[in-house]
Amino acid sequence: MSVSMKFCPECNNLLYPKEDKKRKILLSACRTCSYTEVAESNCVYRNVINHDSDYERPKDMRDAYADPTLPREKGVKCPACNHPKVAFSLINPRKSLARMNACCNPSCGHNWRDDDESIA
């Protein structure tokens, strides 16, 4: 059996499974508009990702300047080249708010922790 994602014909957003308790059927419903349709299959998948308690983000962010998903902070200068913009990531958000910083100057690539421990 092949399962594929379905999209709303009204607004092109993803359709999600929704139970119709009165009729005891499964629907595919849009969360943006009011569109619903009877689901083709009663099979629903759920993807759960569990991280162990010692999960930690990578400590080396050499190419962070090219990663558009990382937040940037202007006004914090790189201690190696004095570039006025850095990217940052929380090292382990479950345990502390310590930050890993990376220079946004592609020719520098310097990384450091918010407690000034240089690692690169």
Side-chain angles (χ1 to χ4, degrees):
M1 178 171 126
S2 174
V3 178
S4 62
M5 291 191 296
K6 300 267 307 184
F7 294 91
C8 177
E10 303 291 324
C11 63
N12 292 325
N13 286 302
L14 189 63
L15 295 178
Y16 292 90
K18 181 179 179 181
E19 180 185 12
D20 184 338
K21 292 183 181 184
K22 285 184 181 178
R23 298 189 296 171
K24 296 184 180 181
I25 60 172
L26 184 65
L27 301 171
S28 295
C30 180
R31 292 182 179 170
T32 306
C33 68
S34 58
Y35 179 81
T36 59
E37 66 182 38
V38 176
E40 294 175 0
S41 169
N42 289 331
C43 188
V44 177
Y45 292 92
R46 182 174 173 187
N47 185 19
V48 177
I49 299 172
N50 293 320
H51 297 287
D52 33 337
S53 61
D54 293 331
Y55 172 73
E56 206 168 293
R57 293 186 189 261
K59 291 183 169 54
D60 187 8
M61 297 178 23
R62 273 176 230 204
D63 297 327
Y65 67 88
D67 186 348
T69 64
L70 288 175
R72 306 286 199 263
E73 187 169 348
K74 293 180 182 177
V76 175
K77 293 187 178 185
C78 172
C81 75
N82 229 16
H83 189 74
K85 195 176 191 185
V86 299
F88 64 91
S89 175
L90 294 178
I91 294 173
N92 192 341
R94 292 184 185 169
K95 292 184 178 178
S96 73
L97 294 177
R99 283 181 16 167
M100 171 58 73
N101 301 293
C103 181
C104 287
N105 178 357
S107 61
C108 177
H110 181 67
N111 290 240
W112 70 99
R113 289 176 55 126
D114 60 353
D115 57 6
D116 293 327
E117 285 183 25
S118 184
I119 63 162

